[in-house]
Amino acid sequence: GAVVSQHPSRVICKSGTSVKIECRSLDFQATTMFWYRQFPKQSLMLMATSNEGSKATYEQGVEKDKFLINHASLTLSTLTVTSAHPEDSSFYICSATPGQGRPEAFFGQGTRLTVV
Amino acid sequence: AQKITQTQPGMFVQEKEAVTLDCTYDTSDQSYGLFWYKQPSSGEMIFLIYQGSYDEQNATEGRYSLNFQKARKSANLVISASQLGDSAMYFCAMREIGYGGSQGNLIFGKGTKLSVKP
């Protein structure tokens, strides 16, 4: 199947610092990628839709200045958690759909962020 | 608005037996897709099976089959011959399929934790 690679898989950072998470579609181009957040024992909640060459669309309640999304190419979207705080600790995961008649969304491996 | 409901927080199944994970959905869209994903403890989301709203036959992928009942708005996942490696969280999800095949984001249910007993 199609491959989406997310990096890093695990990161620990100090409160107040910023963390960048990369999401790459390795064998297809993705004009749209999605960023989700998952708290322990809960479901995935959409944070934002990343659009290549334009601004991301954020879900209600998600601070766009805190969670910066850049989708500069058809194969790369980045999520930067700025001025991270302990409450930002969570599992972040991206997805992309190959299109071309293939309906399924493929996910990156996810990033477990711990802010200390 | 779209909504996915998974009413089973946890399920147990004996190894080699079949198990059904329930999923009901609500949408006003005519064209949509239904998905099942497996999430092991590592956190990755593994695509299992897909059913389109206009597909007349139930989808099957190896040991996975989707029991699609459109009138009841249900899309249950059936896993046959359970294996110990099937122990994981299972999420039902749906997305709108718009004009020209454009696809929105996935809406997820709360998930069902499946435990396979040896």
Side-chain angles (χ1 to χ4, degrees):
Chain A
V3 179
V4 175
S5 178
Q6 186 173 340
H7 178 81
S9 59
R10 192 178 292 267
V11 58
I12 300 173
C13 71
K14 290 185 177 181
S15 187
T17 62
S18 295
V19 173
K20 179 186 283 189
I21 303 170
E22 293 188 347
C23 179
R24 294 181 185 272
S25 54
L26 296 185
D27 53 359
F28 64 96
Q29 293 182 333
T31 55
T32 303
M33 291 185 177
F34 301 97
W35 286 96
Y36 296 84
R37 181 174 182 175
Q38 186 180 30
F39 289 106
K41 300 188 188 300
Q42 293 190 24
S43 188
L44 281 71
M45 298 298 296
L46 179 70
M47 296 176 66
T49 302
S50 173
N51 304 298
E52 187 268 335
S54 65
K55 290 182 179 180
T57 305
Y58 290 83
E59 294 300 296
Q60 192 173 10
V62 178
E63 298 175 60
K64 61 181 180 182
D65 294 330
K66 179 161 194 63
F67 298 100
L68 299 179
I69 291 173
N70 185 286
H71 195 152
S73 78
L74 287 171
T75 59
L76 174 64
S77 174
T78 61
L79 168 67
T80 301
V81 183
T82 63
S83 186
H85 291 285
E87 57 264 31
D88 299 324
S89 298
S90 190
F91 186 70
Y92 295 87
I93 191 165
C94 66
S95 79
T97 300
Q100 303 293 325
R102 299 186 64 182
E104 64 267 40
F106 292 93
F107 286 80
Q109 298 91 327
T111 298
R112 202 165 298 278
L113 170 64
T114 303
V115 184
V116 298
Chain B
Q2 297 177 329
K3 185 179 179 181
I4 294 282
T5 302
Q6 293 180 255
T7 57
Q8 305 155 313
M11 288 280 287
F12 287 92
V13 64
Q14 202 68 39
E15 193 179 9
K16 300 181 184 178
E17 293 186 349
V19 63
T20 298
L21 305 184
D22 294 342
C23 173
T24 58
Y25 62 92
D26 192 18
T27 181
S28 57
D29 298 319
Q30 295 299 310
S31 181
Y32 52 89
L34 296 157
F35 305 79
W36 277 92
Y37 286 86
K38 173 183 178 181
Q39 187 179 42
S41 56
S42 60
E44 60 186 312
M45 293 290 285
I46 303 169
F47 167 74
L48 296 178
I49 196 166
Y50 165 80
Q51 180 84 41
S53 58
Y54 291 113
D55 294 339
E56 294 185 352
Q57 289 196 326
N58 287 341
T60 60
E61 288 285 351
R63 293 186 299 112
Y64 305 107
S65 60
L66 199 153
N67 184 358
F68 181 45
Q69 298 188 41
K70 194 171 183 177
R72 297 180 60 185
K73 292 189 174 179
S74 74
N76 298 340
L77 175 70
V78 180
I79 304 174
S80 62
S82 298
Q83 302 172 356
L84 295 178
D86 294 334
S87 294
M89 281 293 289
Y90 288 80
F91 290 97
C92 180
M94 73 179 298
R95 77 193 315 179
E96 173 194 8
I97 298 176
Y99 180 77
S102 61
Q103 301 184 49
N105 60 283
L106 286 167
I107 306 295
F108 287 89
K110 292 187 175 182
T112 296
K113 184 175 182 179
L114 178 66
S115 299
V116 180
K117 297 186 290 185

